[in-house]
Amino acid sequence: MIIAIDGPAAAGKGTLARRLADHFGLALLDTGLLYRAVGMAVARQNADLDDPGVAEAAAIALKPQDLEARDLRTDAAADAASRVSAVPGVRKALLEFQRGFAAHPPDAKQGAVLDGRDIGTVVCPDADVKLFITASAEVRAERRYKELLDRGLEAIHGRVLADMKERDARDSDRAVSPLEPAKDAHQLDTSDLDADQAFAAALGFINSANT
Ligand code: DC
């Protein structure tokens, strides 16, 4: 069983993906981490984040241990990821890894949940279930702002919202694999839902797809 979850940042994809993976006993791949690791590899070389050659080379050289770097959850990593992810060579280099994960999930699991931006459209177009999770930019910025404060980091609400909108535009407007719902995706707006309600709604879609 393959579950594809796409949508913009802070829409609730990550939490939902983890809960669905636990519920169905599936492997989980947060594909944003791959792009974050590539972005941070470029940043650590002090290279230009918009240089396609450097970004592609970093994607080709990516190792599993790079996904464990502690700085991948920072806003700097999110920004770097959003920039390198527009490079076709980066997407190509990461595609095989993602498809391999879905085809041969680790730990003898019988399937996988992948979350990202182009899972239902490009990485796993034949997924059994496709979910496209959204929420308003204001709600997503508010969630992100609270998360940063909870982690003891400084944040300015207006800045978080502006960054969110900038990243949304970059992810949606890029030429290769832009953020967009697959034609057969179930769309779920979590603006007024908590994590339990979003999980219940997703289970409803999955059960209806299997009957
Ligand atoms: O989900 P995230 O915030 O960790 O993703 C960080 C960036 O990576 C996001 O701005 C776009 C990019 N990304 C992508 O282009 N394709 C994916 N499947 C996952 C993430």
Side-chain angles (χ1 to χ4, degrees):
M1 181 186 197
I2 299 295
I3 301 178
I5 305 183
D6 291 302
K13 299 186 307 284
T15 305
L16 180 61
R18 199 172 323 109
R19 291 186 66 164
L20 288 173
D22 287 347
H23 182 82
F24 290 107
L26 303 173
L28 173 64
L29 181 63
D30 168 2
T31 64
L33 267 190
L34 303 172
Y35 292 92
R36 285 169 182 257
V38 172
M40 289 314 274
V42 175
R44 271 194 284 274
Q45 295 170 41
N46 287 324
D48 178 0
L49 280 164
D50 297 312
D51 181 327
V54 175
E56 183 176 348
I60 291 169
L62 197 70
K63 308 260 178 318
Q65 62 265 32
D66 297 337
L67 301 179
E68 282 151 32
R70 296 189 59 201
D71 54 7
L72 298 187
R73 299 282 175 202
T74 60
D75 263 12
D79 181 64
S82 174
R83 287 161 70 175
V84 298
S85 65
V87 176
V90 168
R91 305 204 71 85
K92 185 165 173 271
L94 299 182
L95 186 59
E96 285 317 302
F97 177 82
Q98 296 171 79
R99 287 198 173 145
F101 187 96
H104 307 287
D107 305 324
K109 302 271 184 181
Q110 296 303 302
V113 180
L114 287 85
D115 82 91
R117 302 290 187 289
D118 62 340
I119 309 303
T121 48
V122 175
V123 179
C124 300
D126 299 326
D128 301 277
V129 183
K130 298 180 186 178
L131 303 173
F132 193 82
I133 312 298
T134 58
S136 71
E138 286 70 21
V139 166
R140 291 185 291 114
E142 181 67 26
R143 288 177 186 160
R144 183 77 187 131
Y145 175 68
K146 287 199 177 126
E147 186 194 322
L148 291 169
L149 295 188
D150 285 350
R151 282 164 51 195
L153 299 171
E154 281 185 26
I156 300 169
H157 192 277
R159 188 72 240 156
V160 174
L161 178 60
D163 285 352
M164 185 80 74
K165 287 184 172 167
E166 189 182 318
R167 238 176 277 149
D168 281 355
R170 217 185 283 134
D171 294 346
S172 303
D173 296 346
R174 67 178 177 228
V176 233
S177 303
L179 169 66
E180 63 182 354
K183 288 194 176 56
D184 49 350
H186 298 284
Q187 300 213 26
L188 180 63
D189 185 330
T190 67
S191 300
D192 298 317
L193 303 182
D194 65 20
D196 287 342
Q197 291 168 322
F199 178 62
L203 272 188
F205 287 140
I206 294 170
N207 290 335
S208 68
N210 287 335
T211 51

